[in-house]
Amino acid sequence: MTKLVIFCEVFLALLVYSEACLCPSQHPQTKFCNSEFVVQAKVFSRQTFNREGNVVYTVKILKDFKNDTRQYSKTQKIYTSASSCGSDFELNEEYIISGTINGQKWKTSKCSWNTKTSFLTKYQNTALNHGIYKNSCSCKAGYFLNEMKLNFNFTDKL
């Protein structure tokens, strides 16, 4: 019994002090629809601001998949946390980057849909470039791993 109590105390202490980032498992379409921006961008620089706990990436926007009318500079700063919940991008690589916009500040995190463009599946590439994700936000997309099978479940929003 004493060992169980000690184990529980250690486990809770690790849990409290952990910087682990917990993100819900979501289909890329759901992440797309929940984002205020989704762009294809090339990462040019990384700057860390220790005082604020932010990392700022300077990117060149190659394509905007979410908004056809928003006016912004094609060179954009994207903010993320310096903690374990922040996104990490390699310089001179192209990514699909998504997130929120607060005023003029674009923000992303590990919970957003951020992936190298070279890692996109053929369907994801088609869904982005032909507006399938953009035009399907009225549908809920989910996937469930069951006995190593990937099943898609599409239902209309109520």
Side-chain angles (χ1 to χ4, degrees):
M1 180 70 169
T2 305
K3 288 181 182 180
L4 180 62
V5 171
I6 292 171
F7 173 78
C8 289
E9 287 176 353
V10 170
F11 179 75
L12 286 174
L14 289 174
L15 189 63
V16 169
Y17 290 106
S18 172
E19 284 192 44
C21 189
L22 299 175
C23 304
S25 178
Q26 293 180 323
H27 188 278
Q29 178 181 321
T30 303
K31 289 186 177 189
F32 179 98
C33 294
N34 291 338
S35 297
E36 293 177 18
F37 72 88
V38 179
V39 296
Q40 180 177 344
K42 185 169 184 175
V43 179
F44 285 111
S45 70
R46 179 184 196 273
Q47 195 173 14
T48 304
F49 295 98
N50 293 330
R51 194 176 76 229
E52 294 93 13
N54 286 322
V55 175
V56 181
Y57 289 95
T58 302
V59 302
K60 179 178 181 185
I61 306 295
L62 304 173
K63 190 163 188 179
D64 187 338
F65 298 106
K66 190 79 177 190
N67 191 321
D68 299 326
T69 60
R70 179 179 27 240
Q71 297 296 316
Y72 54 85
S73 170
K74 292 296 182 185
T75 301
Q76 191 69 352
K77 292 189 182 299
I78 298 181
Y79 295 77
T80 191
S81 174
S83 75
S84 63
C85 289
S87 294
D88 189 33
F89 301 111
E90 293 178 35
L91 298 182
N92 300 312
E93 293 288 336
E94 284 186 22
Y95 289 87
I96 301 301
I97 303 174
S98 67
T100 60
I101 301 173
N102 187 357
Q104 298 296 314
K105 199 174 202 179
W106 292 29
K107 297 179 181 181
T108 193
S109 73
K110 274 199 175 135
C111 294
S112 301
W113 186 30
N114 300 319
T115 188
K116 282 186 179 180
T117 54
S118 61
F119 292 169
L120 291 174
T121 66
K122 187 175 181 179
Y123 178 78
Q124 289 170 338
N125 197 28
T126 300
L128 283 168
N129 286 304
H130 292 100
I132 296 170
Y133 286 157
K134 182 177 180 177
N135 296 321
S136 300
C137 286
S138 61
C139 297
K140 287 184 181 178
Y143 58 87
F144 308 95
L145 292 174
N146 184 11
E147 298 174 0
M148 300 306 288
K149 293 179 183 175
L150 187 62
N151 297 312
F152 288 91
N153 178 22
F154 293 93
T155 58
D156 289 331
K157 283 186 177 177
L158 298 176

